[in-house]
Amino acid sequence: KAGVTQTPRYLIKTRGQQVTLSCSPISGHRSVSWYQQTPGQGLQFLFEYFSETQRNKGNFPGRFSGRQFSNSRSEMNVSTLELGDSALYLCASSSTGGRTEAFFGQGTRLTVV
Amino acid sequence: GQNIDQPTEMTATEGAIVQINCTYQTSGFNGLFWYQQHAGEAPTFLSYNVLDGLEEKGRFSSFLSRSKGYSYLLLKELQMKDSASYLCAPGSNDYKLSFGAGTTVTVRA
């Protein structure tokens, strides 16, 4: 079956702009988590959605937001971009979240200039 | 809160054994995942321990001690393709998977 699909793969944005990233989970998976990965901080948890509900949120400013649709696809939005937001953004899907294996997409590489 | 500690780097020779230790302090802990991440690629699942003890899966084994907040990943018969970052990730009841900084394993011929 198809894996986790993230679009776009690469993005270049200017400071102050906003960006929306998309994640399509594996068919049948209802949990989608988002992570930010940088060389200095590693993988940092952003938020987790299950059946259109956010069940947990990491320690990121309110500029980072997300949502999940009825078909389990998820989007995350970053407003008022800062240089420090440059990172690889990964989404992971699992059947229930928590106790089950998570499958990662290839990520979206965001560069803020 | 989360506090995850694993070594930054390890180097070993092809065919050897490497043990990557991980200690954690996780609220609502419900299991320990290990992931492998090759440079420029997404993390891929290796193992999941819920109960204390050793889980063996081919050349890779993972151990968990819940009372000690300790896990290790054992890589046997190392191959060049095992050169990667290995991520320790305690799960919690609030649906959050937190990752350690990762251990970069370099396998030398």
Side-chain angles (χ1 to χ4, degrees), chain B residues 65-78:
Chain B
S65 169
R66 295 176 71 113
S67 62
K68 295 182 179 177
Y70 168 71
S71 173
Y72 70 71
L73 180 69
L74 195 68
L75 316 180
K76 294 176 278 190
E77 300 169 22
L78 277 173

Side-chain angles (χ1 to χ4, degrees), chain A residues 35 37 43 45 48 55-56 90 96-102 104-106, chain B residues 30 33 35 37 41-43 45 48 50 87 92-97 99:
Chain A
Y35 295 85
Q37 187 171 34
L43 268 165
F45 173 80
E48 190 264 359
R55 297 194 294 189
N56 202 343
L90 291 160
T96 61
R99 294 175 181 266
T100 54
E101 174 187 351
F104 283 83
Q106 290 301 304
Chain B
N30 66 5
F33 294 84
Y35 280 80
Q37 186 176 26
E41 297 182 10
F45 169 82
Y48 176 48
V50 177
L87 306 166
S92 59
N93 291 330
D94 60 359
Y95 313 106
K96 177 178 177 179
L97 192 60
F99 286 82

Side-chain angles (χ1 to χ4, degrees), chain B residues 28-88:
Chain B
F29 175 80
N30 66 5
L32 195 291
F33 294 84
W34 283 96
Y35 280 80
Q36 178 192 60
Q37 186 176 26
H38 285 100
E41 297 182 10
T44 55
F45 169 82
L46 287 178
S47 68
Y48 176 48
N49 293 63
V50 177
L51 303 175
D52 285 359
L54 188 68
E55 296 271 349
E56 297 188 81
K57 192 188 290 187
R59 295 188 299 112
F60 293 2
S61 302
S62 56
F63 172 84
L64 177 66
S65 169
R66 295 176 71 113
S67 62
K68 295 182 179 177
Y70 168 71
S71 173
Y72 70 71
L73 180 69
L74 195 68
L75 316 180
K76 294 176 278 190
E77 300 169 22
L78 277 173
Q79 302 176 8
M80 299 299 287
K81 66 179 181 180
D82 298 329
S83 291
S85 180
Y86 292 85
L87 306 166
C88 169

Side-chain angles (χ1 to χ4, degrees), chain A residues 19-55:
Chain A
V19 67
T20 299
L21 312 181
S22 179
C23 173
S24 293
I26 290 171
S27 178
H29 283 188
R30 296 163 67 186
S31 169
V32 173
S33 297
W34 287 90
Y35 295 85
Q36 180 195 66
Q37 187 171 34
T38 58
Q41 297 296 317
L43 268 165
Q44 301 288 313
F45 173 80
L46 279 157
F47 21 66
E48 190 264 359
Y49 287 89
F50 182 86
S51 292
E52 302 179 70
T53 299
Q54 185 184 89
R55 297 194 294 189

Side-chain angles (χ1 to χ4, degrees), chain A:
Chain A
K1 57 185 175 183
V4 180
T5 304
Q6 290 188 247
T7 56
R9 290 293 311 277
Y10 303 92
L11 263 180
I12 299 176
K13 290 287 189 178
T14 307
R15 270 181 302 175
Q17 286 187 312
Q18 70 147 12
V19 67
T20 299
L21 312 181
S22 179
C23 173
S24 293
I26 290 171
S27 178
H29 283 188
R30 296 163 67 186
S31 169
V32 173
S33 297
W34 287 90
Y35 295 85
Q36 180 195 66
Q37 187 171 34
T38 58
Q41 297 296 317
L43 268 165
Q44 301 288 313
F45 173 80
L46 279 157
F47 21 66
E48 190 264 359
Y49 287 89
F50 182 86
S51 292
E52 302 179 70
T53 299
Q54 185 184 89
R55 297 194 294 189
N56 202 343
K57 189 179 191 314
N59 296 323
F60 279 82
R63 301 184 295 107
F64 291 80
S65 63
R67 59 178 174 168
Q68 187 180 34
F69 302 95
S70 58
N71 62 358
S72 293
R73 189 178 71 85
S74 178
E75 289 181 347
M76 68 162 280
N77 183 276
V78 188
S79 62
T80 319
L81 283 166
E82 301 177 359
L83 294 179
D85 297 333
S86 295
L88 179 67
Y89 290 88
L90 291 160
C91 98
S93 83
S94 69
S95 55
T96 61
R99 294 175 181 266
T100 54
E101 174 187 351
F103 296 84
F104 283 83
Q106 290 301 304
T108 294
R109 172 75 62 186
L110 172 65
T111 302
V112 182
V113 297

